[in-house]
Amino acid sequence: MKKRHLRGDILLIGGLLLAAAIAFACVFLLRGDGDSVRVTVDGELYGVYALSQDVTVDIRTADGEANNRLVIRDGKAQVETATCPDGICAAHYPIFRDGESIVCLPNRVVITVVTAQSGDAPDVIA
Amino acid sequence: MNNKAKTAAFTGLCIALALVLAYVEVLLPPLFPAIPGVKMGLPNIVIVFLLYRRGGVTAATVSLLRVVLVTLLFGNAMAFFYSLAGGALSLVLMLLLRRLDLLSPVGVSVAGGVAHNVGQILTAMLLLDTTELGYYLAVLIVSGVVAGVFVGLCGALLIKKVPEKLIHNGK
Ligand SMILES: [Zn+2]
């Protein structure tokens, strides 16, 4: 293999992979805003809440205990208080981009931003 | 057998080979089921080989007839335009790169594979929204590189090993 060819190949492949990485980064940075959040507890759908309305939701487990307080304000969703020992969910920054999520592993709560057109039509707004 | 007949026979043989490879590809499970157009591009092995050992005209002929025949055999009319756009873009780019002589056959094949995927997606672009496009492009580039390296290595092997007598009429 000629040296010039090898260098050309490496430049080409490296450049293409770089372009792919940039495209991927753009997908995440320019990701569109979602219009609602979907809450699941233990994998079961708990509720879907529109981001357009300010609301406070106490996410309760089956035994009625309020474990995580979800607050939607100014089109963003965040966990305000939580009973979990790690407090990771409460420390998470407010989410609003399509696909972003806050996970509370100890309480098995997942909050994900969705858009109506992504198939999960928020027709069960509580 | 005269030269013309031999050329026709050889070209036909290459088209048949490209079709067999296209058929093998249809049988293989899709790499990314969610994204149409992501394929290994196995027929491109024949195209790359021809590009180096026989020249652009034969490569273009085989490429075009392959697209037509694959559409008739396994595809639909919509896929024809995607494939044609992908195939044409890929072929033109590979011809150009071959002439520039900056890359090995593997590099040329990688460029051709990515151009093929991107050409297809540009044709389908109107159907996608912008955030999806970035994601599709990234997947298509990476899969094009991987497929292109594989195709290029196969092509390079053929370019090196196939005896001259088989390609040209005892010149
Ligand atoms: Zn938590």
Side-chain angles (χ1 to χ4, degrees):
Chain A
M1 200 182 203
K2 280 190 220 161
K3 217 171 202 162
R4 182 164 55 125
H5 285 172
L6 185 65
R7 199 181 54 197
D9 284 5
I10 290 170
L11 280 176
L12 174 77
I13 292 174
L16 285 170
L17 293 180
L18 185 69
I22 291 171
F24 258 127
C26 286
V27 171
F28 284 96
L29 295 176
L30 305 176
R31 193 151 56 174
D33 297 355
D35 51 32
S36 40
V37 288
R38 188 181 56 208
V39 179
T40 62
V41 180
D42 240 339
E44 303 267 299
L45 182 66
Y46 186 86
V48 179
Y49 310 92
L51 284 171
S52 53
Q53 276 177 306
D54 290 2
V55 69
T56 300
V57 183
D58 282 319
I59 301 169
R60 294 170 193 278
T61 48
D63 52 29
E65 220 169 312
N67 280 327
N68 302 69
R69 171 166 289 178
L70 166 70
V71 174
I72 295 175
R73 193 185 299 132
D74 301 330
K76 297 176 184 183
Q78 63 180 312
V79 174
E80 200 171 67
T81 56
T83 57
C84 55
D86 58 16
I88 289 174
C89 56
H92 199 285
Y93 57 84
I95 56 172
F96 60 96
R97 294 188 192 91
D98 193 16
E100 278 184 320
S101 61
I102 298 176
V103 179
C104 182
L105 270 184
N107 293 342
R108 306 184 59 85
V109 170
V110 180
I111 302 162
T112 311
V113 180
V114 294
T115 51
Q117 79 218 34
S118 67
D120 311 285
D123 50 6
V124 280
I125 292 173
Chain B
M1 212 166 23
N2 65 31
N3 244 336
K4 233 176 193 167
K6 179 135 188 178
T7 300
F10 179 76
T11 307
L13 196 71
C14 289
I15 292 168
L17 192 57
L19 284 180
V20 168
L21 290 171
Y23 183 59
V24 168
E25 202 167 65
V26 172
L27 294 179
L28 294 174
L31 297 175
F32 293 89
I35 303 179
V38 179
K39 284 190 199 150
M40 282 296 290
L42 294 179
N44 214 27
I45 295 172
V46 180
I47 310 297
V48 170
F49 167 71
L50 288 174
L51 204 57
Y52 275 83
R53 288 293 294 272
R54 185 73 202 217
V57 177
T58 314
T61 309
V62 171
S63 183
L64 177 67
L65 286 174
R66 171 203 57 165
V67 170
V68 172
L69 290 170
V70 166
T71 306
L72 287 176
L73 290 172
F74 327 111
N76 57 46
M78 246 351 238
F80 174 72
F81 290 106
Y82 295 165
S83 307
L84 196 64
L89 191 63
S90 162
L91 188 74
V92 169
L93 189 67
M94 289 199 298
L95 274 169
L96 197 74
L97 289 172
R98 162 92 174 93
R99 186 123 328 152
L100 286 176
D101 196 33
L102 290 170
L103 303 169
S104 78
V106 176
V108 169
S109 155
V110 166
V114 172
H116 186 260
N117 284 351
V118 171
Q120 289 203 326
I121 215 66
L122 287 180
T123 319
M125 197 161 81
L126 295 174
L127 304 172
L128 304 166
D129 86 31
T130 43
T131 51
E132 273 179 327
L133 185 71
Y135 171 69
Y136 279 51
L137 268 180
V139 171
L140 288 172
I141 289 172
V142 173
S143 66
V145 168
V146 174
V149 168
F150 176 76
V151 165
L153 289 173
C154 293
L157 197 70
L158 288 178
I159 291 164
K160 221 169 139 186
K161 299 280 181 188
V162 172
E164 190 63 24
K165 219 176 161 213
L166 208 73
I167 302 168
H168 292 108
N169 194 15
K171 270 187 245 168

